[in-house]
Amino acid sequence: MERLLTELMGRPVRVVDSRVVGGGCIADSRRMRLQDESGNETDWFVKSQAMGDFDALCCEARGLRLLAASNQILTPEPLGPVSDEHVALLALPWLETGSHSPAFFRNFGQQLARHHRATEGNRLGLDHDNFLGRSPQINQTDAADWIAFFAQCRLEPQIRWARDSGLADQRLSRRMNDIQTHLSDLLDGREDVTSLLHGDLWSGNYMAVANAPGVAWIDPAVSWGCREMEFGMLRLFGGCPRDFYEAYQEEYRMPDGWEDRVDVYVLYHLLNHLNLFGVGYLNSCMEVADRILRR
């Protein structure tokens, strides 16, 4: 381990403290205090995974660097990954979590809006495929527009996976066929421009940082797409307070009807949870699909 950490840091280091950090379900994550030859000590967030997951750590590092380029939201600069024949490591500077100030969610909404505006354009997907959790995420495409991209690279792989594994019953399959058939109508009213999306923006992947304004984010599943999709994962587990959305709208208003359209993106993430975690998510998929189709 210390040999790989030395490679990551670019100088000899030794581990003087190592503590498991909870919150994830994929990698072994630790807060490590490293000491260099001069006796200087620094804290790092170190993720280790089996060598077979090296590509996932590469994608995470590339995603963080892409997000950081907008200079709108604090994004830790990754080191690595590096690997040997057994394990792969990725290191991020340790960010000390702070408490949510009364202005936290308002600041978060402003910053997210500024990030989306700073990265807007007409790109779709990414020049490489990556991962949403443990799920492969297809980004390389010849799709002509957002509707085609979302259908081909997001919805279709998830529903096909669910059918092949026996998790999608006939009722869900029929509803997904209807949604895919009417997708252009269901997403009508959106903007044609796209932005760089974090892609997996739930409460475990954004945080307040001690002695720093605003928010930091980690663990992305980046791609360029319709910015309304960003709110699908946020909504999945309850969303953010009203002042978050109000601040976002004041900074970069979304077209009318966005709250209805977001349900389509909530369903995408529910399908991914169905595939990753099992049949316990089937009823939620059905409920959201029914709500979408009633509109």
Side-chain angles (χ1 to χ4, degrees), residues 71 82 92 95 102 105 150 217 245 292:
N71 292 314
V82 296
L92 310 175
L95 299 177
F105 281 104
F150 184 69
W217 54 9
Y245 297 101
I292 292 167

Side-chain angles (χ1 to χ4, degrees), residues 249-264:
Q249 289 286 76
E250 290 168 9
E251 190 70 34
Y252 189 15
R253 187 169 183 81
M254 285 186 287
D256 291 345
W258 73 270
E259 291 179 279
D260 289 338
R261 292 188 294 272
V262 163
D263 271 345
V264 178

Side-chain angles (χ1 to χ4, degrees), residues 181-236:
T181 298
H182 298 288
L183 191 60
S184 183
D185 294 330
L186 292 168
L187 295 181
D188 186 47
R190 77 197 184 283
E191 299 166 315
D192 288 330
V193 298
T194 59
S195 296
L196 181 66
L197 309 179
H198 176 283
D200 194 10
L201 198 55
W202 66 289
S203 60
N205 285 344
Y206 65 83
M207 68 189 78
V209 179
N211 302 316
V215 65
W217 54 9
I218 56 172
D219 286 350
V222 302
S223 64
W224 272 274
C226 176
R227 61 191 172 110
E228 292 175 0
M229 187 175 180
E230 196 84 277
F231 299 91
M233 192 62 181
L234 280 171
R235 280 273 193 88
L236 181 59

Side-chain angles (χ1 to χ4, degrees), residues 74 95-101 104 206-216:
L74 179 60
L95 299 177
E96 193 66 45
T97 303
S99 58
H100 288 184
S101 71
F104 173 80
Y206 65 83
M207 68 189 78
V209 179
N211 302 316
V215 65

Side-chain angles (χ1 to χ4, degrees), residues 272-292:
N272 188 51
H273 278 66
L274 174 67
N275 284 316
L276 288 176
F277 304 115
V279 72
Y281 281 92
L282 179 59
N283 285 340
S284 296
C285 289
M286 289 292 298
E287 290 170 7
V288 175
D290 283 341
R291 188 164 71 230
I292 292 167

Side-chain angles (χ1 to χ4, degrees), residues 13-162:
V13 294
R14 69 183 187 92
V15 178
V16 296
D17 190 44
S18 177
R19 303 182 186 186
V20 173
V21 176
C25 60
I26 298 175
D28 177 79
S29 300
R30 294 176 180 270
R31 178 178 182 171
M32 288 189 176
R33 179 160 294 172
L34 305 181
Q35 186 182 77
D36 64 20
E37 290 179 306
S38 301
N40 299 314
E41 295 182 358
T42 51
D43 287 348
W44 294 84
F45 178 78
V46 179
K47 298 177 73 168
S48 62
Q49 294 183 220
M51 178 50 200
D53 292 319
F54 183 75
D55 285 348
L57 292 181
C58 288
C59 289
E60 180 177 343
R62 293 171 76 178
L64 288 167
R65 293 180 181 116
L66 283 168
L67 292 174
S70 77
N71 292 314
Q72 300 301 323
I73 295 179
L74 179 60
T75 309
E77 174 64 30
L79 294 182
V82 296
S83 66
D84 59 19
E85 64 272 21
H86 302 296
V87 68
L89 299 183
L90 180 70
L92 310 175
W94 179 259
L95 299 177
E96 193 66 45
T97 303
S99 58
H100 288 184
S101 71
F104 173 80
F105 281 104
R106 182 167 185 81
N107 291 336
F108 182 18
Q110 287 180 330
Q111 288 179 282
L112 183 60
R114 290 169 182 169
H115 167 79
H116 286 161
R117 186 187 290 279
T119 58
E120 67 180 7
N122 57 10
R123 287 172 285 187
L124 289 169
L126 204 59
D127 63 359
H128 61 280
D129 296 337
N130 54 15
F131 298 87
L132 176 62
R134 283 198 177 276
S135 301
Q137 182 166 267
I138 300 169
N139 296 314
Q140 299 177 87
T141 179
D142 58 0
D145 57 28
W146 172 245
I147 296 295
F149 175 84
F150 184 69
Q152 295 169 16
C153 298
R154 295 294 180 263
L155 280 185
E156 181 56 34
Q158 290 289 344
I159 192 60
R160 185 171 61 249
W161 183 7

